[in-house]
């Protein structure tokens, strides 16, 4: 007797779709074929619907004291929002300050994430590379957390990794099968521009984006890729926003270098005109939002597979946190000073709906591409495939049923992210997750949450050697 059968759905893989049934027992997919209703305690009829492997979100910042703000959600609340957005595994970053042990910080983060209703993992973070932190890379790989973030900016905030640190971490990663993740923005370009704005006393939201132009990102992207080429190892570049950076990746890919490029739903659907609004501070994130043309160039990068990962970079700050350091003028309006705005946007719950609607239903990409970008590729690159990222016998029964005809209007009340605004307010979406299943348990059905606090499990990951070695062309 199976615990659950999902019947008549269109099972979506990264390169094909097939109509079939799925049988689940003890939290795993145990058979794919045709079954009768009597064979299971619970039967879900998915006729006309698409059945996807649960989403894997490898990029979010929850409860992460960032620029003095913590975010609106606990990890349990974040897991609820994730589940409504078709995400069944998420990963966050260790909080790091200089002098701390990356390994100890990852363990501490794991503990904080235990209350999650969905599966979870943690990335390390490197600010400095010395004998002790580099030894931690061995421990982190052994512990099942082989991915490490480094910021190429935020020097003043004390989290920037210098070039030498980046190089040493890359070298160690190559040795022990670790995989670095880079936030690429050139600190000198950004800081120089910010200083000029300070001198002109014009710190408007619009100038925020001007301080971190495309070349600020492309310069750092290029430097990271050259280090990776020099060391001959793989890297992930997170939240890429523009063609200039993608062209660097295209050149690297043409020579077989494993550079995995991520972009986020906000860079595909929100634009820098938001900075012209009085509440434009709500749209401040790093790198900044770009133009519609640049967003279309990102879609081109998705279509030609230069971009293989979609990560939301979710930072769910409510209005009070985004504006906590801003001052008001005598009319009660915020005095524009972008330096005082906490960076980051909410996006975890809308990631899949945006890719389904703007990607598939607008004819830009296939539903198979969406599975690749939001689940399979992420599981493969981050080292948890085939436990995650595929509907296969033996994989965890983490499944999302999607209704490609369902139309919704995005608004703050529809989402479960606990904030009082939605930057996508009013956006028409066609294609939405209807049911989310984690380890064979239905955790979202009919817009209600049935998951449990602490039900999520820590996912131990290891990077496949083929992920970090040069591709055969
Ligand atoms: N970018 C943001 O906008 N917020 C958090 C971290 C980051 O890289
Ligand atoms: Zn970042
Ligand atoms: Zn981030």
């Amino acid at each position: 007797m199976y615990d659950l059968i999902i019947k008549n759905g269109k099972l979506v893989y990264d390169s094909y779709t097939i109509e079939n049934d799925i049988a689940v027992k003890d939290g795993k997919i145990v058979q794919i074929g045709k079954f009768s209703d009597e064979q299971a305690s619970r039967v879900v009829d998915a006729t006309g619907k698409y059945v996807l492997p649960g989403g894997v979100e490898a990029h979010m910042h929850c409860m992460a004291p960032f620029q003095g703000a913590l975010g609106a959600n606990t990890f349990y609340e974040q897991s609820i929002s994730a589940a409504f957005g078709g995400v069944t595994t998420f990963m966050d970053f260790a909080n790091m300050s200089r002098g701390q042990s990356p390994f100890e910080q990852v363990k501490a983060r794991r503990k904080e994430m235990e209350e999650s209703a969905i599966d979870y993992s943690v990335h390390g973070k490197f600010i400095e590379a010395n004998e002790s932190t580099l030894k931690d890379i061995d421990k982190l790989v052994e512990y099942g957390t082989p991915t490490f973030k480094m910021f190429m900016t935020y020097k003043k905030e004390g989290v920037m990794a210098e070039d030498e640190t980046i190089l040493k971490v890359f070298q160690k990663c190559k040795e022990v099968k670790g995989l670095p993740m880079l936030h690429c923005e050139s600190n000198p370009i950004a800081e120089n521009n910010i200083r000029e704005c300070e001198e002109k006393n014009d710190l408007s939201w619009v100038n925020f984006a001007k301080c971190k132009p495309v070349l600020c990102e492309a310069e750092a992207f290029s430097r990271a890729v050259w280090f990776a080429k020099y060391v001959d190892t793989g890297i992930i570049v997170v939240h890429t926003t523009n063609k200039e950076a993608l062209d660097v990746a295209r050149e690297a890919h043409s020579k077989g270098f494993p550079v995995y490029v991520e972009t986020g739903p906000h860079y595909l659907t929100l634009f820098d005109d938001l900075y012209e609004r009085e509440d434009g501070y709500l749209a401040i994130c790093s790198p900044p939002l770009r133009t519609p043309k640049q967003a279309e160039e990102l879609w081109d990068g998705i279509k030609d597979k230069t971009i293989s990962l979609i990560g939301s970079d979710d930072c769910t700050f409510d209005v009070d946190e985004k504006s906590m350091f801003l001052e008001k003028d005598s009319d009660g309006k915020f005095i524009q000073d972008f330096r005082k705005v906490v960076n980051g946007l909410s996006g975890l719950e809308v990631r899949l709906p945006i890719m389904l609607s703007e990607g598939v239903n607008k004819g830009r990409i296939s539903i198979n591409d969406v599975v690749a970008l939001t689940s399979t590729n992420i599981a493969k690159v981050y080292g948890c495939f085939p436990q995650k990222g595929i509907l296969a016998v033996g994989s965890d029964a983490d499944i999302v049923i999607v209704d490609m005809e369902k139309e919704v209007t995005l608004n703050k009340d529809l989402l479960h992210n606990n904030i009082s605004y939605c930057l996508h307010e009013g956006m028409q979406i066609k294609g939405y997750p209807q049911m989310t299943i984690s380890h064979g348990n239905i955790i979202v059905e009919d817009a209600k949450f049935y998951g449990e606090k602490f039900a999520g499990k820590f996912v131990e990951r290891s990077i496949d050697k083929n992920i970090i070695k040069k591709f055969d062309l």
Side-chain angles (χ1 to χ4, degrees):
M1 191 76 170
Y2 301 122
D3 299 331
L4 173 70
I5 289 172
I6 301 166
K7 64 175 196 181
N8 303 329
K10 294 174 209 166
L11 312 191
V12 188
Y13 293 81
D14 58 354
S15 54
Y16 64 95
T17 305
I18 183 168
E19 203 169 300
N20 224 336
D21 302 347
I22 293 180
V24 172
K25 193 163 176 59
D26 298 331
K28 298 273 183 197
I29 296 175
V30 288
Q31 286 286 333
I32 293 179
K34 281 289 164 193
F35 310 101
S36 60
D37 290 5
E38 296 71 46
Q39 286 179 274
S41 342
R42 170 92 201 250
V43 177
V44 170
D45 186 358
T47 305
K49 306 288 187 298
Y50 291 83
V51 182
L52 279 55
V56 184
E57 171 62 88
H59 191 170
M60 65 171 198
H61 307 268
C62 177
M63 308 244 336
F66 184 65
Q67 295 177 325
L70 203 56
N73 292 315
T74 63
F75 275 110
Y76 174 56
E77 290 165 334
Q78 183 87 344
S79 67
I80 296 174
S81 179
F84 277 103
V87 172
T88 53
T89 302
F90 57 24
M91 304 177 200
D92 207 300
F93 299 83
N95 294 319
M96 252 333 263
S97 304
R98 219 160 259 282
Q100 289 179 321
S101 148
F103 181 52
E104 292 307 320
Q105 292 305 107
V106 162
K107 287 199 288 183
R109 197 63 165 162
R110 173 180 174 174
K111 192 102 204 91
E112 285 181 309
M113 292 184 81
E114 274 174 1
E115 64 170 34
S116 169
I118 62 168
D119 285 4
Y120 57 92
S121 182
V122 187
H123 309 293
K125 203 181 278 168
F126 280 80
I127 305 174
E128 54 194 334
N130 52 41
E131 204 184 325
S132 149
T133 61
L134 288 172
K135 269 198 193 132
D136 272 13
I137 294 186
D138 297 282
K139 296 184 199 163
L140 286 163
V141 168
E142 178 81 5
Y143 192 65
T145 50
T147 40
F148 323 111
K149 173 93 173 268
M150 281 175 287
F151 286 99
M152 296 176 80
T153 188
Y154 295 130
K155 188 173 179 142
K156 280 187 186 154
E157 289 81 352
V159 291
M160 185 182 101
E162 300 284 351
D163 286 356
E164 202 183 333
T165 299
I166 293 172
L167 195 58
K168 284 182 177 159
V169 171
F170 282 16
Q171 280 166 333
K172 184 73 189 185
C173 280
K174 181 184 164 91
E175 228 178 83
V176 298
K177 285 199 281 157
L179 188 54
M181 305 165 70
L182 282 304
H183 171 126
C184 295
E185 286 187 296
S186 162
N187 198 68
I189 294 180
E191 277 194 4
N192 216 28
N193 288 337
I194 294 169
R195 198 169 326 109
E196 278 177 25
C197 287
E198 285 169 342
E199 279 159 17
K200 282 188 270 172
N201 199 23
D202 184 355
L203 296 155
S204 61
W205 318 141
V206 169
N207 269 356
F208 168 74
K210 290 187 183 156
C211 285
K212 295 174 158 213
V214 161
L215 291 186
C216 173
E217 190 183 330
E219 184 280 322
F221 193 110
S222 175
R223 194 160 17 108
V225 168
W226 273 109
F227 282 148
K229 284 180 177 175
Y230 174 72
V231 175
D232 190 11
T233 195
I235 57 168
I236 297 167
V237 183
V238 295
H239 50 49
T240 304
T241 71
N242 63 80
K243 179 178 179 300
E244 282 72 3
L246 293 185
D247 284 344
V248 175
R250 286 187 175 104
E251 192 276 336
H253 292 166
S254 76
K255 299 199 170 72
F257 285 100
V259 175
Y260 301 99
V261 181
E262 178 204 85
T263 193
H266 44 318
Y267 298 115
L268 297 167
T269 53
L270 300 172
F271 312 116
D272 58 1
D273 58 344
L274 284 174
Y275 300 128
E276 288 161 21
R277 286 179 11 184
E278 203 174 308
D279 65 355
Y281 66 96
L282 296 175
I284 286 190
C285 60
S286 285
L289 301 175
R290 309 286 186 200
T291 64
K293 178 172 178 288
Q294 283 162 325
E296 215 45 64
E297 288 168 351
L298 289 177
W299 282 110
D300 291 341
I302 290 174
K303 285 182 218 164
D304 72 14
K305 308 214 183 305
T306 306
I307 295 173
S308 53
L309 310 166
I310 301 289
S312 68
D313 196 8
D314 186 276
C315 297
T316 298
F317 299 121
D318 209 342
V319 175
D320 55 348
E321 283 193 307
K322 288 291 284 185
S323 62
M324 66 197 284
F325 303 111
L326 290 172
E327 282 153 40
K328 288 188 172 165
D329 64 16
S330 51
D331 296 330
K333 286 187 188 161
F334 286 124
I335 300 168
Q336 297 204 7
D337 184 342
F338 63 74
R339 298 168 308 173
K340 296 182 177 165
V341 179
V342 179
N343 286 212
L345 310 186
S346 185
L348 178 63
E349 193 170 336
V350 296
R351 183 184 70 142
L352 178 61
I354 283 176
M355 295 311 290
L356 295 172
S357 184
E358 291 293 304
V360 183
N361 270 330
K362 292 217 168 141
R364 290 178 170 115
I365 53 173
S366 69
I367 194 157
N368 310 94
D369 295 329
V370 172
V371 161
L373 291 156
T374 61
S375 184
T376 312
N377 291 351
I378 302 181
K380 283 183 178 169
V381 171
Y382 284 87
C384 52
F385 183 85
Q387 180 189 350
K388 307 291 182 189
I390 187 167
L391 302 171
V393 171
S395 297
D396 287 348
D398 291 353
I399 300 166
V400 184
I401 301 179
V402 159
D403 181 350
M404 286 305 288
E405 299 306 314
K406 183 165 172 154
E407 296 188 38
V408 302
T409 306
L410 290 183
N411 69 83
K412 65 179 168 49
D413 299 323
L414 177 86
L415 302 176
H416 303 79
N417 56 1
N418 282 340
I419 55 172
S420 56
Y421 66 98
C422 170
L423 288 174
H424 289 97
E425 190 80 33
M427 183 177 179
Q428 301 297 313
I429 291 280
K430 186 171 177 191
Y432 215 79
Q434 162 186 307
M435 179 182 280
T436 304
I437 297 165
S438 164
H439 289 284
N441 299 312
I442 297 171
I443 59 169
V444 173
E445 183 179 20
D446 296 331
K448 288 196 193 70
F449 183 70
Y450 297 97
E452 281 173 27
K453 206 169 178 177
F454 290 103
K457 297 185 173 75
F458 175 69
V459 181
E460 277 184 44
R461 299 177 288 119
S462 73
I463 307 296
D464 189 292
K465 65 177 183 326
N466 291 318
I467 288 289
I468 54 171
K469 86 172 193 12
K470 264 175 99 173
F471 309 133
D472 295 327
L473 294 170

